Amino acid sequence: MILGLVGPTAIGKSALALQLAKELNTNIISADSMQIFKEFNIGTAKPSNEEMSRIKHYMINIVDPCDSFNSNNYSQQVDKIITLENDKGQIPFMVGGTGFYFDSTLYEMDFENSVDYDLRKELNNYLILNGALELHNLLMKYDIESAMKIHPNNTKKVIRAIEIYKTTGLKKSDGNLNNKKLKYENIIFELTINREVLYKNIEKRVDKMIDNGLFDEVFNLMKYVPIDAQSMQGIGYKESVNYLKGNCTKEQTITSIKQNTRNYAKRQITYFKRLNTIKLDADLSANENINIINSIIKRYI
RNA sequence: GGGAAGAUUCCCGAGCGGCUAAAGGGAGCAGACUGUAAAUCUGCCGUCUUCGACUUCGGUGGUUCGAAUCCACCUCUUCCCA
């Protein structure tokens, strides 16, 4: 059993989560694909050390910035944590904006051992040489059903589908995507807010990150983290790299970070619709929301 | 004061007599998503009673069968010489 809190970036998840975790006397499992990286602090709006010392946060600062990490790595680690906490009689509180991490934790995922990075490289070369359509035709040969579902332009997904077939002999379309097996009972809350207000919040937050020294952080990171590392693709980071390399002005960079963050928030909101969430109004005070949450939890548990 | 360029749909920006509601990009909105997910990708995007109709390309008036595209004047903008 787990409790969850989702919401788009900059809506105030962390603040509410902190209070709630204290109230409920539980630990937090972060579900954030960027906060997993060590040393990526300002741009990921990571909780402060002080905050993390007050409430235990799992899944933050667990990956070296030069390494890669994926949703499967995530769910495997979180499985252990949930079991551990549940065994102690605790219901952990999963908080974050990475909807896919919730998905891959809450449900049984198909295709064990279906990763082959060399094959990906190979397919990527094939893509460069022959184009997206030919790559898609390749998938057509192995798994027509998936090929029909995946747009040829979505080459990452086309490659993954081929990879699944080549490594496991299974077709992606054989997975249980439409019939997912639930792993954990859960109650997921979702913070919502008026879109315009959200976008304003985002802009304010980005300005704050800049004031807090985002560029310095990235400058130091660039000394040892390759620019094409997964960690460097995060919003706020890739744009800063571009700026520090002298490719654009500071103003352009800030505008672009704000823009990309807004677009991201929009995608998050779309994703949350597939999660079965209970909506919370971010305009209400933390205490009000905590009361609402408490009453709902009591009803279920 | 003289000269040059230009005003295009929310923004940038093509078009330079018919094939144009007007390329492309951005924004916005909606959506997809099972191992890079802060990623990747898709659709819509003048209005409407949407297989058709209507109103648009600074303004007004012309030339044409027909104009965002040509002409005249007006308004504004940028730039250059004073």
Side-chain angles (χ1 to χ4, degrees):
Chain A
M1 169 95 208
I2 68 169
L3 254 35
L5 177 66
V6 299
T9 185
I11 201 171
K13 288 185 295 292
S14 304
L16 180 63
L18 236 35
Q19 275 204 47
L20 203 56
K22 191 182 170 197
E23 192 86 13
L24 268 35
N25 189 32
T26 107
N27 294 323
I28 287 177
I29 299 175
S30 165
D32 187 302
S33 65
M34 281 297 145
Q35 292 184 359
I36 53 165
F37 292 113
K38 293 172 189 164
E39 312 302 333
F40 276 59
N41 303 138
I42 296 170
T44 64
K46 204 177 273 179
S48 68
N49 289 332
E50 186 273 321
E51 287 166 332
M52 290 197 277
S53 68
R54 265 194 285 145
I55 305 283
K56 180 157 183 63
H57 283 67
Y58 291 105
M59 304 309 280
I60 288 183
N61 296 334
I62 55 160
V63 182
D64 185 281
C66 300
D67 292 341
S68 290
F69 193 78
N70 63 44
S71 65
N72 190 52
N73 303 143
Y74 180 84
S75 67
Q76 283 181 353
Q77 293 192 35
V78 170
D79 272 345
K80 288 180 195 147
I81 296 164
I82 294 175
T83 307
L84 187 86
E85 292 282 318
N86 282 173
D87 286 351
K88 284 194 296 189
Q90 294 271 26
I91 300 173
F93 188 29
M94 196 162 149
V95 180
T98 305
F100 190 38
Y101 279 4
F102 276 85
D103 236 0
S104 51
T105 306
L106 258 24
Y107 299 95
E108 208 85 60
M109 290 289 136
D110 303 309
F111 316 118
E112 290 271 329
N113 302 318
S114 59
V115 169
D116 183 340
Y117 288 101
D118 290 336
L119 178 63
R120 276 188 205 181
K121 243 177 228 159
E122 217 176 281
L123 290 169
N124 209 51
N125 284 334
Y126 185 87
L127 165 67
I128 293 164
L129 285 171
N130 303 292
L133 237 44
E134 278 306 308
L135 182 76
H136 192 254
N137 280 336
L138 208 58
L139 176 60
M140 209 77 102
K141 280 186 215 154
Y142 306 130
D143 180 357
I144 299 176
E145 214 179 307
S146 296
M148 298 301 277
K149 272 189 214 154
I150 304 171
H151 189 102
N153 286 159
N154 203 346
T155 54
K156 271 190 189 183
K157 293 215 163 93
V158 173
I159 288 178
R160 171 92 263 256
I162 296 173
E163 181 187 22
I164 287 174
Y165 179 77
K166 294 269 196 180
T167 53
T168 65
L170 299 170
K171 295 175 183 173
K172 190 180 181 206
S173 47
D174 290 336
N176 295 308
L177 182 58
N178 297 315
N179 187 23
K180 295 186 283 191
K181 278 176 250 161
L182 189 71
K183 278 197 294 188
Y184 304 105
E185 289 299 319
N186 62 79
I187 307 171
I188 311 290
F189 296 95
E190 176 182 353
L191 276 172
T192 62
I193 198 169
N194 169 279
R195 190 69 57 89
E196 273 177 49
V197 176
L198 210 219
Y199 287 176
K200 288 221 174 75
N201 285 174
I202 286 172
E203 310 213 333
K204 269 186 237 155
R205 185 202 247 191
V206 171
D207 286 332
K208 208 170 154 198
M209 284 177 179
I210 302 297
D211 288 347
N212 288 163
L214 176 63
F215 294 143
D216 287 339
E217 177 169 295
V218 179
F219 180 79
N220 287 317
L221 254 13
M222 278 170 75
K223 289 174 186 163
Y224 69 100
V225 181
I227 282 165
D228 60 352
Q230 188 187 334
S231 57
M232 279 297 197
Q233 309 319 308
I235 297 169
Y237 292 91
K238 57 184 171 205
E239 299 87 348
S240 297
V241 165
N242 211 23
Y243 165 60
L244 294 169
K245 279 165 70 185
N247 295 335
C248 50
T249 67
K250 188 171 168 181
E251 283 313 306
Q252 289 171 329
T253 309
I254 294 170
T255 303
S256 153
I257 294 173
K258 288 175 179 173
Q259 186 56 64
N260 290 336
T261 308
R262 273 190 262 138
N263 293 160
Y264 167 51
K266 174 74 183 63
R267 269 177 276 131
Q268 287 181 296
I269 292 166
T270 299
Y271 199 97
F272 298 146
K273 287 176 184 163
R274 66 170 47 215
L275 265 28
N276 201 6
T277 66
I278 296 169
K279 299 241 191 328
L280 253 33
D281 183 351
D283 281 328
L284 298 180
S285 72
N287 284 332
E288 287 174 292
N289 270 322
I290 286 170
N291 285 337
I292 293 169
I293 290 169
N294 262 325
S295 67
I296 291 171
I297 290 175
K298 269 176 202 141
R299 217 184 300 156
Y300 280 88
I301 301 175

